[in-house]
Amino acid sequence: MNNINSIKLFEEAQKYIPGGVNSPVRAFKSVGLSPLYIEKGRGAYIYDSDGNGYIDYVGSWGPLILGHLHPEVIGAISECLAVGTSFGAPTERETTLARMIVEAMPSVEMVRLVNSGTEAAMSAARLARAYTKRKKIIKFEGCYHGHADTFLIKAGSGALTHGVPTSPGVIEETAAHTINATFNDLEGLEQLFKSSGEEIAAVIVEPVPGNMGVVPPQPGFLQGLRDLASRYGSLLIFDEVITGFRLSYGGAQSLYGVMPDITCMGKIIGGGLPVGAYGGRKEIMSMLSPSGPVYQAGTLSGNPLAVSAGIAALKILGRPGFYEELDGKASRMAIGLSGAARKAGVEVCFNRVGSMLCGFFTKGRVTDFKTACDSDTRKYSVFFRSMLEQGVYLAPSQFEAAFISLAHTNEIIDKTLEAASRAFEAVANTSF
Ligand code: KE4
């Protein structure tokens, strides 16, 4: 595969941008390649600076559930461009998107638009601390909630101790207020609450984690979180930046019937442009400035272009049969991949919820961060490279999700499965 232009562009970028990228995972480090520079996208495809085309299963890390350049989304952006790009003043469009989110997400009575998932999660934590007048936040190992200090924390020496910063610049005093729990371990969480319950402002969770690969919640786990948080007067925060409008029009909370106190959103609600959001019950959200004392602000929050793209996207997602059609595509993909791996004699654990899926190169089931980390990332790298050479663009990390979009036709999926058969053979024929 000729990627000489991408290599040159990456060299140039590294002169001006740390690591040559504006977000670390794009650097392809974990698959040991130089990143591809993408020039354009169309439908299910992206095209790099050397003219190579790829079937895209990253979808900008989740936002592009409709594929690239969906005509109704582009039309809405163009219509908005005719009147302006940003005013720093309220616009009717923001109310429209807010109303659509409130009408879609059953636990959300009010919502604040921001510019990223990080902003949404960071603000939700501040709001939960203000509402409960408590300091500690429980998160789950392997779940990612953006790069705010509160969340760049890994488990300390013991599950019941404080967190430890995962990044320089995050100070111990901050880490002291974040505790890591184990996803799908309700007993462990109950122990945490028994020992620190009165100090816990909130538990934040990706209801279906997509940042350790895809790990479905075990039956009763999310309801168990809900019950524990309620029992101890803590808030439950669902980080639905990925799952919101991905798993259903009402997100994971509708799919599993578990209602959080605060929901974080992003990605899909921006239609491919920068939008984040957090929402919840009126009594909680009303604490936000200017209606209440909790400060949070943003120059480009509710940006008309981004909001117009989001409105257009949600209108399409809200049409009857959308998620059934998407789930059919994802099921075709998952069944095909399992068969191809089995035929090649490669042990892969496939986890799928709706149109987000992941294949872990490991023997057993993957049910939490530890079992996810048992995956052989060398095998993933071989698989990734073979797929890339065959024109299929997957996440450049074992610990992400593959996303199916409306633009992935059966023909495109079958083409992917042919490539996967060869890629699994490549894994089987590699000695590690
Ligand atoms: P952003 O700040 O990147 O918009 O959102 C942070 C975030 C919050 N919550 C969840 C569940 C998320 O998945 C994310 C961001 N996701 C990653 C990839 N899984 C974005 C890709 C990147 O970091 O470049």
Side-chain angles (χ1 to χ4, degrees):
M1 179 183 73
N2 167 29
N3 63 342
I4 188 68
N5 287 334
S6 282
I7 290 171
K8 281 183 192 159
L9 289 168
F10 188 41
E11 282 164 8
E12 179 70 6
Q14 291 175 81
K15 294 177 191 168
Y16 309 104
I17 303 171
V21 291
N22 287 308
S23 200
V25 72
R26 303 178 188 172
F28 272 34
K29 274 207 164 146
S30 65
V31 290
L33 289 175
S34 180
L36 298 180
Y37 275 66
I38 303 304
E39 280 197 347
K40 64 180 180 180
R42 181 167 294 283
Y45 285 85
I46 51 175
Y47 300 86
D48 70 15
S49 301
D50 294 281
N52 304 306
Y54 305 87
I55 301 170
D56 179 16
Y57 286 99
V58 176
S60 185
W61 302 97
L64 298 181
I65 193 169
L66 299 174
H68 294 271
L69 293 184
H70 188 286
E72 291 175 57
V73 174
I74 301 310
I77 295 171
S78 308
E79 173 270 325
C80 181
L81 266 179
V83 296
T85 57
S86 180
F87 308 113
T91 64
E92 184 182 357
R93 299 169 196 270
E94 295 160 74
T95 308
T96 302
L97 181 58
R99 185 187 310 114
M100 291 174 85
I101 291 171
V102 166
E103 288 170 353
M105 302 297 272
S107 71
V108 177
E109 294 177 344
M110 295 193 95
V111 62
R112 169 62 60 83
L113 300 179
V114 292
N115 297 283
S116 70
T118 292
E119 257 193 284
M122 172 180 78
S123 309
R126 179 183 309 136
L127 181 57
R129 284 170 163 150
Y131 181 80
T132 60
K133 297 183 176 56
R134 297 177 181 179
K135 294 182 178 181
K136 291 195 188 302
I137 298 280
I138 293 180
K139 68 176 289 289
F140 292 89
E141 274 202 290
C143 287
Y144 176 67
H145 307 293
H147 62 85
D149 286 4
T150 293
F151 302 121
L152 292 185
I153 309 291
K154 63 183 177 224
S157 52
L160 299 182
T161 60
H162 303 325
V164 170
T166 56
S167 164
V170 176
I171 57 176
E172 286 71 24
E173 292 81 352
T174 301
H177 299 299
T178 301
I179 302 175
N180 266 277
T182 300
F183 188 75
N184 275 331
D185 175 7
L186 211 45
E187 269 179 46
L189 188 72
E190 188 146 21
Q191 287 310 311
L192 280 178
F193 268 103
K194 276 186 181 146
S195 68
S196 315
E198 280 65 37
E199 299 174 77
I200 307 296
V203 189
I204 185 168
V205 69
E206 292 181 66
V208 178
N211 286 288
M212 53 173 132
V214 178
V215 178
Q218 284 173 353
F221 178 69
L222 295 177
Q223 188 55 53
L225 292 192
R226 174 67 282 168
D227 296 344
L228 276 170
S230 301
R231 193 184 314 159
Y232 286 88
S234 307
L235 297 187
L236 175 59
I237 302 174
F238 269 12
D239 179 344
E240 295 225 40
V241 168
I242 287 182
T243 58
F245 297 95
R246 167 64 60 180
L247 299 184
S248 85
Y249 195 65
Q253 56 195 262
S254 293
L255 188 69
Y256 292 97
V258 176
M259 296 299 123
D261 299 296
I262 300 176
T263 301
C264 303
M265 292 158 276
K267 297 185 193 267
I268 289 172
I269 63 169
L273 297 188
V275 176
Y278 61 113
R281 293 198 307 276
K282 273 197 175 72
E283 57 153 342
I284 301 174
M285 296 304 289
S286 302
M287 288 193 74
L288 283 174
S289 176
S291 49
V294 180
Y295 196 70
Q296 178 268 309
T299 302
L300 291 167
S301 295
N303 170 269
L305 281 178
V307 163
S308 301
I311 291 166
L314 296 197
K315 280 178 180 170
I316 298 165
L317 302 181
R319 289 171 188 161
F322 177 86
Y323 289 94
E324 290 77 4
E325 180 182 355
L326 199 59
D327 197 62
K329 293 172 186 286
S331 170
R332 183 187 189 96
M333 177 81 158
I335 292 167
L337 287 172
S338 296
R342 199 168 33 253
K343 188 160 172 257
V346 178
E347 288 171 314
V348 183
C349 165
F350 287 98
N351 284 347
R352 174 178 82 89
V353 181
S355 59
M356 59 191 281
L357 66 148
C358 175
F360 295 92
F361 286 80
T362 183
K363 285 195 182 90
R365 301 295 312 144
V366 174
T367 57
D368 57 18
F369 184 57
K370 186 188 171 312
T371 47
C373 291
D374 289 343
S375 306
D376 188 332
T377 54
R378 300 166 305 169
K379 290 184 179 178
Y380 182 82
S381 294
V382 169
F383 183 75
F384 173 86
R385 289 167 181 234
S386 172
M387 291 292 268
L388 200 64
E389 280 156 18
Q390 297 181 78
V392 179
Y393 189 86
L394 299 173
S397 162
Q398 166 72 87
F399 305 109
E400 296 286 354
F403 295 108
I404 310 285
S405 82
L406 185 66
H408 289 89
T409 62
N410 286 345
E411 183 196 3
I412 288 174
I413 290 169
D414 292 348
K415 205 170 159 193
T416 306
L417 295 174
E418 286 164 26
S421 295
R422 290 189 282 272
F424 283 126
E425 287 297 338
V427 173
N429 297 331
T430 304
S431 51
F432 294 95

